[in-house]
Amino acid sequence: LAKLCNERFEQICSGGRGPELLALRTSETGKVERATSDATVNPRGGLAARTAQAASMDAENDVLRQDHKQVGAVRLDADDASLREAEIQASLCPERAVLDEEVFLSQLILRARLLNSEFQQRVVDAISRHSAETAGYLPVKRWGQNTLTETTSEQHNSVSVECSFEEGAAPVTIMAAAPKRQERMREKLAEYAPPHPQGVWPLTANILDPIRASIVCTGASQILQVLGWFTKQEAETGLRVVRIKNKFSSPPQDIFDGYRDLSLSVIMTGSSGLRIIGEIQIHDTKLHDI
C-alpha cells in the first residue's frame, strides 16, 4: 500500500498546482506558549505547565485547545476542585503517566454529541455553495441529531456534490463521521502525556478531532480550491479555521504508510451558542481509494 500511495503522491506533485500544494506548510493561527516559569505546584510536567500558563493559555490567538475561553468544550472553573484532585492523584501515584480525566472526557464527549450533526451539515453546506448544478447555495442533505452513530457505515453517511472548479465540474464526496469514541479519546491522552510538548493538563483539551468530516476530491488543484472554500469564506461557512496540517509537505520519514492528506482544525459555534473544535480532512480520491 505504501508503494501505491507514494506513486500517487508523485503524480499529484507533478500535476497541476502540485508544487503549490507541496509549498503549503502546516500553519497555526494560535500556539500555546510553553511554560518556562519555576512557579509550580507539582513536579508533574502537565500540572506544572497548567499552573504556570493559566493566563497565557487564554491569549486571544491561542485557540488550539478545547479549554480555551473562546471554545469551552472542556471546562475548568476558577473554583473547580479538579486541579487539587489531580495534584493529590499525582502525589499518590507518581508513576502514573496519565491522571484520571473522566470528568473532562465526559464534557468533550457530550459537547461532541450535541454539535456533531450541525457540524456535519455545515461542512456539507460549505461544499454545496460551489455546486455546479445550481446558481447559488443548495443544501444537499440534512443530518438529524441521531443520524450518525458509531455503527453507521461509510456508504450511508456520505453525499456527493458536482462542484464547479477552475478546471470544470467534478464530483466531491463529503463523508460524515460519528463522534470519536471514548476509548479512542483515552488512547489519545497517553499520546499527549508529558514530556510531549502539548502535555498541558487537562490533556483532554488537546483532542481536536472529537467531531470530524472527510472531503474527497481529485488532485492538488481541487484540494487547494476546497481549502480556499473554508479559509476564505469563514463568515459563510460558520467554521473558523485555526490550523492547517498539510501531510503533503511532510518529510518522507514522517509518513510511515505513504498516505497523505490535508486537514483543518476549525472552531464551530452551534446555533445554541456552544462551541467546539473539530477536524475537516481533505483527501485525494485516488489516494483515498487505495
Side-chain angles (χ1 to χ4, degrees):
L1 290 180
K3 182 176 183 294
L4 293 174
C5 287
N6 288 328
E7 289 175 353
R8 175 55 185 164
F9 173 61
E10 293 298 327
Q11 294 172 357
I12 293 172
C13 293
S14 60
R17 300 184 71 178
E20 184 180 347
L21 179 60
L22 289 178
L24 179 67
R25 300 300 177 187
T26 291
S27 65
E28 300 176 355
T29 61
K31 293 183 179 179
V32 176
E33 295 295 329
R34 296 301 153 202
T36 56
S37 170
D38 292 330
T40 65
V41 295
N42 190 285
R44 300 289 288 279
L47 290 175
R50 174 71 197 199
T51 303
Q53 295 178 292
S56 67
M57 285 180 61
D58 279 339
E60 288 300 314
N61 66 339
D62 172 22
V63 289
L64 289 175
R65 288 177 58 91
Q66 299 283 7
D67 59 352
H68 188 275
K69 65 181 181 181
Q70 294 185 29
V71 183
V74 170
R75 299 169 299 286
L76 180 64
D77 299 328
D79 58 350
D80 199 322
S82 298
L83 178 58
R84 182 56 187 150
E85 292 170 351
E87 293 169 354
I88 295 172
Q89 284 186 66
S91 65
L92 294 176
C93 307
E95 74 289 346
R96 190 172 179 180
V98 179
L99 304 180
D100 187 337
E101 295 202 11
E102 291 302 308
V103 61
F104 303 118
L105 287 172
S106 295
Q107 290 175 355
L108 187 57
I109 289 168
L110 177 58
R111 184 67 60 90
R113 289 173 177 169
L114 292 175
L115 297 183
N116 188 47
S117 294
E118 190 170 356
F119 172 77
Q120 304 299 339
Q121 190 62 53
R122 296 273 185 95
V123 174
V124 170
D125 290 352
I127 300 301
S128 301
R129 293 175 188 275
H130 301 272
S131 170
E133 300 173 354
T134 62
Y137 164 63
L138 172 66
V140 187
K141 187 167 185 174
R142 289 291 159 195
W143 300 109
Q145 183 65 36
N146 300 312
T147 300
L148 301 171
T149 67
E150 294 177 4
T151 58
T152 304
S153 68
E154 185 175 281
Q155 179 182 0
H156 290 95
N157 66 354
S158 65
V159 60
S160 182
V161 181
E162 192 78 7
C163 289
S164 295
F165 290 101
E166 295 170 358
E167 304 82 5
V172 174
T173 300
I174 308 107
M175 295 183 293
K180 185 179 287 290
R181 292 181 295 109
Q182 188 167 359
E183 293 78 6
R184 179 56 184 141
M185 287 193 184
R186 289 196 186 97
E187 294 173 1
K188 296 284 286 186
L189 296 185
E191 297 176 20
Y192 290 121
H196 191 286
Q198 293 174 241
V200 179
W201 182 88
L203 301 178
T204 303
N206 289 303
I207 300 174
L208 302 184
D209 60 347
I211 54 178
R212 57 213 189 279
S214 293
I215 298 171
V216 185
C217 53
T218 304
S221 181
Q222 290 187 14
I223 290 172
L224 289 169
Q225 289 175 69
V226 170
L227 170 64
W229 296 348
F230 289 95
T231 59
K232 299 176 182 178
Q233 300 180 10
E234 293 181 352
E236 291 82 1
T237 64
L239 299 168
R240 176 185 168 193
V241 178
V242 293
R243 181 176 69 177
I244 301 171
K245 187 174 182 180
N246 184 15
K247 289 185 179 179
F248 290 100
S249 66
S250 297
Q253 61 269 24
D254 293 343
I255 308 296
F256 303 106
D257 57 2
Y259 192 82
R260 298 170 185 262
D261 62 10
L262 188 149
S263 61
L264 313 178
S265 294
V266 300
I267 298 176
M268 188 196 78
T269 303
S271 56
S272 62
L274 297 176
R275 296 187 177 94
I276 195 169
I277 300 176
E279 182 177 85
I280 301 170
Q281 300 172 349
I282 306 176
H283 304 269
D284 171 71
T285 304
K286 294 182 179 179
L287 269 176
H288 186 266
D289 291 344
I290 291 176

